[in-house]
Amino acid sequence: SQQGEEDPQALSIQEGENATMNCSYKTSINNLQWYRQNSGRGLVHLILIRSNEREKHSGRLRVTLDTSKKSSSLLITASRAADTASYFCAPGFQGGSEKLVFGKGTKLTVNP
Amino acid sequence: DGGITQSPKYLFRKEGQNVTLSCEQNLNHDAMYWYRQDPGQGLRLIYYSQIVNDFQKGDIAEGYSVSREKKESFPLTVTSAQKNPTAFYLCASSFGRTGQSSYEQYFGPGTRLTVT
């Protein structure tokens, strides 16, 4: 199906450690977005990486994209308790409309 | 203060009643979306609209209806035909133009609907 699949489903780390989440998809994309959702809230856009980009940074976030492997990763460096949330990837597929398809996400817990 | 709002935050209804969830945006976005999220699950697309007076079914449209009479508003009605309506409902909007790459979506705070 046309959606990203995040891995792992859950991740628990200590404050200060790095957190890495992965996203895989099946068909060609124009771009890929990452979103964060705090418990009981709406999603917040984190970063968009285009298909011709390999890496993008935003503050403590680093996103990589490997179109040959159809995968992306989100790295959060020096994690904080406030980073505790679910993280979703949303591939923007070629020939698709504006709709995005979200997977089940990675639930990140950062322990103080 | 630009943004996307949903009301109410919590909504309780009896089984068999229709209920309408509100979604308003002042971001001048063309596209608007409704998602449903069940506990521990991802988002599933119910309906989306890329322009006023037009909308398309998403993956789980059965039992739901929408209208898009104004650019700013995209209300969702959960009808009595929806078998399991208790869920968290999220509205989103984006610049979205047909044929363009996917744009960033801005989400509202969500409405938690409980039907008993």
Side-chain angles (χ1 to χ4, degrees), chain B residues 9-49:
Chain B
K9 188 172 178 65
Y10 298 96
L11 192 53
F12 299 89
R13 280 294 183 270
K14 295 290 186 185
E15 198 172 317
Q17 293 179 336
N18 291 354
V19 60
T20 297
L21 282 60
S22 167
C23 178
E24 304 277 333
Q25 55 97 2
N26 61 3
L27 300 167
N28 199 32
H29 286 168
D30 289 310
M32 296 186 75
Y33 314 81
W34 274 106
Y35 296 92
R36 169 185 172 134
Q37 187 176 34
D38 293 285
Q41 300 296 311
L43 280 67
R44 291 185 289 170
L45 183 65
I46 305 172
Y47 269 99
Y48 66 105
S49 167

Side-chain angles (χ1 to χ4, degrees), chain B residues 25-96:
Chain B
Q25 55 97 2
N26 61 3
L27 300 167
N28 199 32
H29 286 168
D30 289 310
M32 296 186 75
Y33 314 81
W34 274 106
Y35 296 92
R36 169 185 172 134
Q37 187 176 34
D38 293 285
Q41 300 296 311
L43 280 67
R44 291 185 289 170
L45 183 65
I46 305 172
Y47 269 99
Y48 66 105
S49 167
Q50 293 178 303
I51 197 168
V52 174
N53 292 323
D54 188 42
F55 47 83
Q56 287 79 40
K57 293 182 179 179
D59 300 318
I60 55 164
E62 186 175 349
Y64 299 97
S65 66
V66 293
S67 63
R68 187 86 187 277
E69 297 176 1
K70 299 187 299 181
K71 190 175 186 178
E72 301 80 16
S73 179
F74 191 41
L76 173 74
T77 296
V78 184
T79 75
S80 57
Q82 169 49 234
K83 299 299 180 196
N84 186 18
T86 294
F88 187 50
Y89 291 87
L90 286 162
C91 180
S93 69
S94 71
F95 280 109

Side-chain angles (χ1 to χ4, degrees), chain A residues 30-31 33 35 37 40-45 48 50 88 91-93 96-105, chain B residues 9 33 35 37 40-43 45 48 50 59 88 90 94 96-97 100-105 107-109 112:
Chain A
N30 290 322
N31 55 53
Q33 302 180 46
Y35 288 79
Q37 183 183 32
R41 304 285 188 91
L43 277 69
V44 174
H45 181 263
L48 182 152
R50 302 189 189 286
F88 296 89
F93 292 102
S97 66
E98 285 311 309
K99 65 175 185 175
L100 296 176
V101 183
F102 294 86
K104 295 183 179 181
Chain B
K9 188 172 178 65
Y33 314 81
Y35 296 92
Q37 187 176 34
Q41 300 296 311
L43 280 67
L45 183 65
Y48 66 105
Q50 293 178 303
D59 300 318
F88 187 50
L90 286 162
S94 71
R97 285 167 282 172
Q100 301 293 321
S101 309
S102 297
Y103 287 85
E104 170 186 351
Q105 291 191 10
F107 283 79
R112 190 167 298 279

Side-chain angles (χ1 to χ4, degrees), chain A residues 36-108:
Chain A
R36 182 187 77 231
Q37 183 183 32
N38 291 88
S39 182
R41 304 285 188 91
L43 277 69
V44 174
H45 181 263
L46 296 176
I47 201 163
L48 182 152
I49 186 165
R50 302 189 189 286
S51 59
N52 60 355
E53 298 176 308
R54 290 297 166 258
E55 189 170 309
K56 201 162 182 180
H57 295 255
S58 177
R60 292 183 297 111
L61 306 181
R62 173 180 167 243
V63 168
T64 61
L65 179 64
D66 187 336
T67 53
S68 66
K69 294 181 179 178
K70 292 186 170 58
S71 68
S72 174
S73 67
L74 169 67
L75 168 68
I76 304 174
T77 60
S79 63
R80 306 166 182 168
D83 294 326
T84 294
S86 291
Y87 292 82
F88 296 89
C89 71
F93 292 102
Q94 289 182 359
S97 66
E98 285 311 309
K99 65 175 185 175
L100 296 176
V101 183
F102 294 86
K104 295 183 179 181
T106 291
K107 186 169 185 178
L108 173 66

